Amino acid sequence: GNVGIGTTTPGEELEVAGNAQINGDLFVSEYIKHIGDANTRIRFTDNKISFDAGDMTFFAVHDDESAPFTATVNGGGNRINFRVMDRNTDLVLKTDSEAFNVKLYHAGNEKLQTNTAGVSVTGSVLLQEQSTTPTAQEGGLMYSGSNFYLGFD
């Protein structure tokens, strides 16, 4: 039968009515689920932890046997907008999954935006001289003939 702590009618094999303190490790085989919504959960698998809501993975970190480890936002097929804030709660990065764009901010002010039209920058762009001619693999601005080429590392 079921065992209850703080309840006389446990609905699971072990049910605790109230807070629990564990002075040691807690081992789970796969899920920690939210009561009332089994699709909102933390999932543990070999070398991976994911956070799911509405049966969709919105954040996962996994060890793919090479450092740095991979952090995935939006497991695919979901429309998730992502925001990164700095320690002053100013916006640093924002994605818009409906408009398919990414915006970068400095001190809460938009500085760079990507969208279907390309990239737009608010403010200055600083290009520094390199001692060697940059390539697309190294990054930098390269002039050849009458054309400029921009490469990213």
Side-chain angles (χ1 to χ4, degrees), residues 98-117:
E98 297 293 325
F100 300 104
N101 70 24
V102 175
K103 295 179 180 180
L104 294 176
Y105 295 78
H106 176 70
N109 298 307
E110 182 181 316
K111 295 297 180 181
L112 183 137
Q113 174 177 290
T114 66
N115 54 42
T116 56

Side-chain angles (χ1 to χ4, degrees), residues 5 8-9 16 18 26 38 49 70 73 83 90 123 142-143 146-147:
I5 299 174
T8 57
T9 57
V16 178
L26 173 65
I49 182 172
T70 303
V73 177
R83 288 175 176 74
D90 287 329
M142 181 171 61
Y143 179 77
S146 60
N147 299 308

Side-chain angles (χ1 to χ4, degrees), residues 5-141:
I5 299 174
T7 180
T8 57
T9 57
E12 296 290 336
E13 291 180 42
L14 173 62
E15 181 175 332
V16 178
N19 296 334
Q21 179 176 326
I22 300 170
N23 294 321
D25 295 332
L26 173 65
F27 294 92
V28 297
S29 61
E30 191 169 359
Y31 292 105
I32 296 175
K33 297 180 180 180
H34 181 266
I35 294 174
D37 182 5
N39 293 324
T40 299
R41 60 193 176 233
I42 301 172
R43 183 178 185 199
F44 301 89
T45 55
D46 289 343
N47 299 318
K48 183 177 180 180
I49 182 172
S50 62
F51 297 85
D52 304 345
D55 207 25
M56 292 186 220
T57 299
F58 66 91
F59 186 75
V61 178
H62 41 96
D63 174 6
D64 60 4
E65 298 183 16
S66 64
F69 301 125
T70 303
T72 303
V73 177
N74 185 359
N78 309 321
R79 291 182 293 193
I80 297 175
N81 296 331
F82 185 70
R83 288 175 176 74
V84 175
M85 312 295 271
D86 68 13
R87 65 178 179 214
N88 298 319
T89 68
D90 287 329
L91 197 55
V92 174
L93 175 116
K94 176 182 173 184
T95 66
D96 183 338
S97 63
E98 297 293 325
F100 300 104
N101 70 24
V102 175
K103 295 179 180 180
L104 294 176
Y105 295 78
H106 176 70
N109 298 307
E110 182 181 316
K111 295 297 180 181
L112 183 137
Q113 174 177 290
T114 66
N115 54 42
T116 56
V119 177
S120 61
V121 176
T122 303
S124 301
V125 175
L126 175 63
L127 301 174
Q128 294 181 328
E129 183 178 341
Q130 289 186 234
S131 59
T132 61
T133 304
T135 67
Q137 290 78 29
E138 294 171 339
L141 183 65

